[in-house]
Amino acid sequence: MKKNLKCFTLAVAVVSAFVFSACKESPAKTATKANMYFGVAIQPGDILDESKAKLIADNFNAIVPENTMKMVNIRPTKTLWNFSDMDKMVDFAQKNKMMVRGHTFIWHQQNSTIVNQIKSREDAFALINENINQIMTRYKGKIACYDVANEIFNEDGTFRKSLWYRWCGTDLYEEAFRIARAADPDAKLFLNDYSHEEAGTPKAEAFYEFVKSMVEKGVPIDGVGFQLHLCTDYGLKEDALRENIRRFAALGLEVQFTEIDVRMKMPASEADVAKQKGMYETLMRVLKDEPNVSTYMTWGYTDANSWVPATFHGYGDAHLFDKNLKAKSVFDSLVEMMRN
Ligand code: 9MR
């Protein structure tokens, strides 16, 4: 009798575990149901490792190559195109029904040595034209949106004196959007930047005015990227963020949160951990409220492999999964917010 009871209890436990796991929806699915993109920047190794690939596919419904599509990697020399890592990422995304962001065509960093051969404005236009056409033709219908240009402003609101700007002024930026529109008319085209998310700063104002002028001239731009590399030391001014988002909405533009992370001074205090959670949550709440925001991309998923400590010495733990790839409570909270 006792043995029968034991068997019965065991059977009930097994069945309930099965039912529970069958019903438990993955965060990726939750995001899709919520009609939003919850994504992550990945590196080629992430999808070669089975357990990391599963973690990414289960928890996110969008990806962006952290470095793979940058010129230095995808076109290391004039005649050498290295599409293999990008192809793998795009295949991975297709298999798992994930959206892909393309990042990025025009930037002042991670260019290949081809740029040293630029001797004229025409050379600069020709190179960007080739790069955009090659990449967007190859991934037509598979990459949903692109950062056509990235980080073209300084903090004081002047244009960054990159090699692109020195050769072409702002003409190249605008032309790149036209080239991209022609290459894949269905892809959405973005201008992306950091520290311009809160209305009222010199950079935010200059960025907005430039984008407004593009819209007025009929340059084919669909939206703007707010990178949102945040730090608990500075917090986040929600009102100024919303004000900025709304003025882009008034121009008919989408805003995507493109590179979210929230770094903390290490070792992190309990207060900072709570503040970090609050900042991630604020962004999710803003996304849910503002109709022209539906993309929440995080810049890397784990503290084990992060660009943050190398760039901001003494800072870290900026991501949603810890060094052991365990989801932090902030991650669960974001999923809960997407669910409701
Ligand atoms: O995360 C990227 C890191 O691995 C690279 O070494 C670095 C090179 O500058 O670029 C990082 O990604 C940047 C992104 O492309 C644009 N916005 C800022 C990101 C963090 O620096």
Side-chain angles (χ1 to χ4, degrees):
M1 176 68 188
K2 234 180 172 178
K3 203 174 165 199
N4 280 348
L5 190 65
K6 252 191 183 167
C7 285
F8 178 72
T9 315
L10 187 69
V12 169
V14 169
V15 170
S16 3
F18 179 76
V19 170
F20 179 73
S21 70
C23 295
K24 204 170 169 254
E25 169 183 278
S26 73
K29 201 144 193 205
T30 303
T32 304
K33 270 196 185 164
N35 211 10
M36 64 167 284
Y37 293 113
F38 183 57
V40 63
I42 63 166
Q43 303 185 10
D46 289 328
I47 53 174
L48 299 178
D49 176 316
E50 220 173 284
S51 61
K52 287 181 184 163
K54 181 167 164 35
L55 183 152
I56 291 164
D58 282 349
N59 290 293
F60 300 96
N61 67 347
I63 55 166
V64 52
E66 184 167 347
N67 292 301
T68 305
M69 216 198 84
K70 293 168 179 172
M71 201 196 307
V72 69
N73 292 320
I74 205 158
R75 194 183 185 186
T77 70
K78 189 150 180 54
T79 50
L80 180 66
W81 285 92
N82 173 17
F83 284 119
S84 81
D85 286 337
M86 195 63 215
D87 285 355
K88 285 183 196 127
M89 284 187 187
V90 169
D91 286 350
F92 170 77
Q94 293 230 297
K95 251 179 233 132
N96 293 291
K97 301 191 170 52
M98 303 168 107
M99 182 271 267
V100 186
R101 297 195 85 253
H103 173 84
T104 171
F105 294 128
I106 301 182
W107 197 25
H108 60 286
Q109 288 185 38
Q110 291 178 290
N111 287 307
S112 59
T113 51
I114 321 171
V115 297
N116 300 335
Q117 294 153 27
I118 295 176
K119 297 283 180 284
S120 67
R121 174 185 161 93
E122 287 68 36
D123 289 349
F125 273 91
L127 176 57
I128 291 300
N129 186 28
E130 272 173 19
N131 289 356
I132 292 178
N133 272 301
Q134 282 286 338
I135 295 169
M136 291 187 71
T137 305
R138 187 176 185 95
Y139 299 117
K140 211 173 190 157
K142 296 179 177 171
I143 295 188
C145 48
Y146 288 88
D147 291 327
V148 175
N150 187 42
E151 303 174 3
I152 63 172
F153 285 97
N154 293 312
E155 307 293 290
D156 65 2
T158 56
F159 283 102
R160 189 188 291 280
K161 306 296 177 287
S162 68
L163 86 132
W164 307 114
Y165 186 79
R166 281 187 270 115
W167 281 116
C168 310
T170 57
D171 291 351
L172 178 68
Y173 305 148
E174 297 179 354
E175 186 59 13
F177 279 83
R178 296 190 193 98
I179 296 167
R181 178 65 91 228
D184 180 358
D186 293 328
K188 287 190 184 170
L189 308 178
F190 286 77
L191 183 67
N192 192 45
D193 216 320
Y194 64 89
S195 296
H196 68 111
E197 297 93 350
E198 296 168 353
T201 66
K203 189 168 179 176
E205 297 312 294
F207 184 97
Y208 169 74
E209 288 302 331
F210 180 62
V211 169
K212 184 163 168 272
S213 77
M214 287 171 80
V215 171
E216 284 164 359
K217 277 191 239 173
V219 176
I221 178 169
D222 298 295
V224 295
F226 286 12
Q227 292 184 10
L228 293 156
H229 294 293
L230 303 177
C231 176
T232 52
D233 288 357
Y234 311 117
L236 172 65
K237 294 193 184 72
E238 184 176 339
D239 289 348
L241 172 69
R242 286 184 189 264
E243 183 188 334
N244 209 11
I245 289 171
R246 287 175 188 168
R247 64 181 174 175
F248 286 111
L251 293 178
L253 297 182
E254 183 182 337
V255 173
Q256 294 194 344
F257 296 163
T258 52
E259 304 184 14
I260 304 171
D261 47 40
V262 185
R263 63 186 178 274
M264 301 181 284
K265 195 169 178 51
M266 301 305 294
S269 66
E270 263 179 46
D272 272 341
V273 172
K275 193 166 178 189
Q276 180 194 54
K277 187 167 182 236
M279 288 165 73
Y280 269 112
E281 288 168 350
T282 298
L283 292 175
M284 185 59 81
R285 206 173 45 245
V286 168
L287 175 146
K288 289 178 75 172
D289 294 346
E290 304 295 336
N292 62 326
V293 188
S294 59
T295 299
Y296 191 109
M297 304 293 293
T298 53
W299 203 247
Y301 56 97
T302 165
D303 296 332
N305 183 14
S306 165
W307 71 284
V308 170
T311 307
F312 300 99
H313 298 286
Y315 285 78
D317 282 9
H319 306 283
L320 296 176
F321 289 76
D322 69 15
K323 289 198 168 75
N324 301 314
L325 304 187
K326 186 173 175 304
K328 299 179 185 175
S329 81
V330 50
F331 179 82
D332 298 333
S333 165
L334 294 178
V335 174
E336 206 42 48
M337 289 176 82
M338 291 193 281
R339 188 164 289 134
N340 299 314

